[in-house]
Amino acid sequence: MNDIQVSADGKLRFGDLSMRCALGRSGCRPAADKREGDGATPLGRWPLRRLFYRPDRLPVPDCALPILALTPAMGWCDDPGHADYNRLVTLPFAGSHEKLWREDHVYDLIVELGHNDAPPVPGLGSAIFLHLARQDFAPTEGCVAIALADMQALLPRLSAGSAIVIAPWSAPQGHRWRPTPPPAG
């Protein structure tokens, strides 16, 4: 199993790695209840899509995920009314968006999570990433954030097919939480 395990109490585990993580300022909630701007981290299993990095601050990371070097012209659409909602966009961009090239260091490494992306449903949340934590591990806007050293230890262990599972409780070592599928229809 290639799943990163994250518990709502702020612990991330992958194989023999165990580390602290920051989560959304509003805690965790089921993906079906996630809303744009609510500050919640969505519970569930999310594939790892690709890795972005700041080439002016870090070397190309060792990682099996597709890797993209960030540029100042990269942004992420968080405008539920725009056709590019929850997608990478080129700046300048008319719709609401966040810049991926930031003055702070939290987006120096970004792993895009496959939350609400196949296809995106307007308003159910955008820009859910695994990225770098602030020094004080302050809550995120809904992402999972870890220390730079932990990210650098984690990235080389990832492979195609890796995913992150965000669970409502801390699983015992070796246990894999499986989210309950949403009801049909």
Side-chain angles (χ1 to χ4, degrees), residues 66-113:
I67 299 173
L68 282 150
L70 286 169
T71 72
M74 289 180 165
W76 202 269
C77 179
D78 58 12
D79 183 346
H82 198 282
D84 288 323
Y85 179 65
N86 200 25
R87 300 269 188 232
L88 179 66
V89 295
T90 301
L91 305 179
F93 182 74
S96 177
H97 63 279
E98 66 174 290
K99 295 177 181 179
L100 299 183
W101 188 274
R102 296 171 53 136
E103 292 300 316
D104 64 15
H105 292 274
V106 298
Y107 280 3
D108 286 1
L109 290 168
I110 307 168
V111 177
E112 176 188 349
L113 305 186

Side-chain angles (χ1 to χ4, degrees), residues 58 105 108-109 131-133 137 146-154:
L58 297 167
H105 292 274
D108 286 1
L109 290 168
H131 63 71
L132 301 182
F137 279 81
I146 60 177
L148 173 61
D150 291 333
M151 183 76 86
Q152 290 172 322
L154 177 65

Side-chain angles (χ1 to χ4, degrees), residues 41-57:
T41 301
L43 297 170
R45 183 177 188 273
W46 313 116
L48 307 182
R49 300 288 190 211
R50 56 190 164 176
L51 170 66
F52 298 89
Y53 78 100
R54 279 284 297 256
D56 61 321
R57 294 180 175 170

